[in-house]
Structures are given as structure tokens and as C-alpha cells.
Amino acid sequence: MADNNHSHFQHPYFVFMGIPGLEQKYYWMAFPLGAIYAIALFGNGIIIATIKSESSLHIPMYYFLCMLALADMGLTLCTLPSMLGIFWFNYKSIAFDSCLVQMYFIHTFSAIESGVLVAMAFDRVVAIWNPLRYGTIITNSMVCRTGAVILTRAVCVVFPVPFLIKRLPFYRSNVLSHSFCLHQDVMRLACASTRINSLYGLIAVIFTKGSDSLSILFSYVFIFRAVMAIASGEGRLKALNTCVSHICAVLIFYVPLIGLSVIHRFGKHLSPLTHVLMANAYLLVPPVLNPVVYTVKTKEIRKKIIQIFVQTKITAG
């Protein structure tokens, strides 16, 4: 009878755990956290501005990089309100519907980033496997269509997730394990069967990140076969050098993602701190490190950053 009485009850809000055991140090953690967000937004903003302003970068490879930067900015902005609310203002609650909105956008931008990494891998395959036909295969219109497909897939695949959560009753704990709303974290608090949610979540992950990771893997099989067919050692190094940034971006995205998935699946005995740190790494590391990697590898972006610092120094002086 009690379950029937609560079958449609939902908490008006959820409470973020933050980082367990470090509550007294939130004030000091707020400053490096703010710096991390500033670096992520500034770095990805510089990449977008540079690609937009430099005509020499108006080629498909850098259009895909611009998409990656936009996805990283989206992920950053999704988590920024709740993270800064916790560590700057000690405000740990979020309304139920706001949590669902944040969850939707986090998973959508994550799926977009995964799709963009696949597109970048295909771009490198064509550039190395068949460089003479690169300009006819990877055209601007093809890039636009690819971007539309990536966006549509992410939006459609993640769209049912908040509604599947919305139908569940929540009348026991309302404390989330992380500093933002993730599907698996909210789902575990439900007081009813979550089999449908789990099944759909598994299908969505397989259809997006699962298929994407396999596509990237197969792309690099083709790339390495093509590189091995190059006669000169210098030519092989030059071809591989064009893939270094993308390989770093793939590792930066998928290593924390796989780690978080393994911990959620098999690490229930681990401390809550481990879960929190892995979730934070999954969403904060790619937006911060991707601009660093591409800045190091792209001369035009380095020049743009230097110009900004010089102008800022002149203005301040």
C-alpha cells in the first residue's frame, strides 16, 4: 500500500554530494575549479575564433575541429552552474526538472563529441589513404551534412532519456553521487523497476559511443596500413604526425569514459570519492586538454593566442 501511495511521487529537488570528505576545503577548491572552467571556455573559444578568422583554416579538417570545440564548450557550460554553485556558494540542490534538463544536455553533447571524433577519423583516413581525391571526397557540403547527422543522432538518441526518468517514483534518497546529473546516477535512486531505463541506456551507449569507438578503431587500422605502404620513413612520420592530435583527443575522451563505465559497473565497493573524481574527469578533462593539444599542434592557433596576450598587455599598460 505504501508503494502505491508513492507510485507517482517525485522529489521536488535533488541534492549533489560534491566531493565527500573535502567539504571544509570547498572554498580553496573553488579557485582552481574556476580556473579550469576559464581555460576550457577560453581555449575552445580561441579555436573557434581562429578558425573563423583565418581563411587558411577554412578547410574540412578545421571545420571538424570547430565542431569538437563547440561540443566541448557545450559540455563545459552544462556542468558549470552546478559545479560552481557547490564549490563557490555551497548551494547543493537542483530542481527535479532542471536536473533532467542538465542530464539531457550533458549526454547529448557527449554523444556529439563522440560523433565528431569519428568524423575526424574518417577525414584522416581519406587524407592518408587517398590524398589525391581528398578534395573531391571531403567537401564543405559533406562536412555540413556530417555535422547535421551527428547533431540529429545525438538529439534523437538522448531525447527519450529524461522522459523515462520522469515516469519513475522517487520517495527515498534524493542525494546524487556527483556534482551534476547523469542518467545512471539519477536512475539508481528510483523506487521502481529501472529495467527499461537500463536497457534503453545500454542501447543508446552501443548506438553512439560503442559504434563510434569501433569506427575509430577500424579507421586507424586503415590508416596504419596506408602508412606502412609508404616507402620512405620520413613520409611515414609525416603521415602519422597529422594524426597525433586526433589520437590524443580520442584518448582524452574515451579513457575517462571507459573508466567511469567500469567503475559504475564493477566498482560499487570503491569509495564515493573515486566515483566523483572519475565523473569529474570524464566531463572536465576533454574540454580543458583538447584546446591545449590542438594549440600545440596548430601554428595559426598559437599565433592567435600570442596576439591576444600582446594586445591585452598593451591595453593594460
Side-chain angles (χ1 to χ4, degrees), residues 171-250:
Y171 53 84
R172 295 188 185 123
S173 174
N174 66 337
V175 180
L176 298 172
S177 301
H178 305 306
S179 303
F180 32 76
C181 297
L182 296 176
H183 175 244
Q184 59 268 42
D185 193 23
V186 177
M187 182 177 65
R188 72 176 179 82
L189 299 179
C191 302
S193 173
T194 59
R195 182 175 298 176
I196 295 176
N197 298 69
S198 298
L199 180 60
Y200 185 80
L202 178 62
I203 292 171
V205 169
I206 292 173
F207 184 63
T208 53
K209 289 152 189 167
S211 61
D212 290 348
S213 58
L214 287 176
S215 298
I216 293 171
L217 180 62
F218 287 131
S219 296
Y220 273 96
V221 170
F222 282 108
I223 287 172
F224 288 129
R225 285 182 59 189
V227 169
M228 291 300 104
I230 299 174
S232 68
E234 184 180 351
R236 291 177 186 176
L237 288 175
K238 186 176 180 180
L240 286 175
N241 189 51
T242 65
C243 301
V244 170
S245 298
H246 181 256
I247 292 173
C248 291
V250 170

Side-chain angles (χ1 to χ4, degrees), residues 144-189:
C144 291
R145 289 195 299 270
T146 301
V149 169
I150 292 170
L151 177 62
T152 303
R153 184 191 69 160
V155 169
C156 293
V157 168
V158 183
F159 185 76
V161 170
F163 298 99
L164 291 174
I165 291 290
K166 185 84 171 175
R167 69 185 180 85
L168 297 173
F170 296 85
Y171 53 84
R172 295 188 185 123
S173 174
N174 66 337
V175 180
L176 298 172
S177 301
H178 305 306
S179 303
F180 32 76
C181 297
L182 296 176
H183 175 244
Q184 59 268 42
D185 193 23
V186 177
M187 182 177 65
R188 72 176 179 82
L189 299 179

Side-chain angles (χ1 to χ4, degrees), residues 12-44:
Y13 60 88
F14 286 111
V15 176
F16 295 121
M17 181 181 289
I19 299 182
L22 299 177
E23 289 82 1
Q24 301 302 318
K25 300 181 180 179
Y26 279 0
Y27 178 79
W28 298 107
M29 296 172 64
F31 294 100
L33 184 66
I36 288 173
Y37 275 103
I39 292 169
L41 292 173
F42 175 78
N44 287 290

